[in-house]
Amino acid sequence: MRRLNPLQPADAPDKSRELLTDIIERHGGVGDMVATMAHSPALLQGYPDLSRSMKRMTSPF
């Protein structure tokens, strides 16, 4: 059972709303995991930052 439900941009905190809107515009949508991260703007910002860092680490130079 979920403790937190995914958020729509309109229901998210201001900073999360900006981030979700940007992600949706670039990718066409977000999954439940990302929409649930919107409860915490810091977590939502950190997730793509981590993802980009991991891609750089695995990419050949």
Side-chain angles (χ1 to χ4, degrees), residues 16-58:
S16 291
R17 183 178 309 123
E18 293 172 23
L19 294 166
L20 280 176
T21 301
D22 181 53
I23 294 168
I24 291 168
E25 287 174 358
R26 287 188 287 123
H27 298 285
V30 296
D32 283 349
M33 182 180 79
V34 174
T36 302
M37 288 181 191
H39 286 277
S40 168
L43 176 61
L44 186 59
Q45 177 63 54
Y47 181 69
D49 290 347
L50 175 64
S51 179
R52 281 191 292 275
S53 295
M54 295 303 292
K55 285 180 184 176
R56 280 187 226 126
M57 290 178 66
T58 59

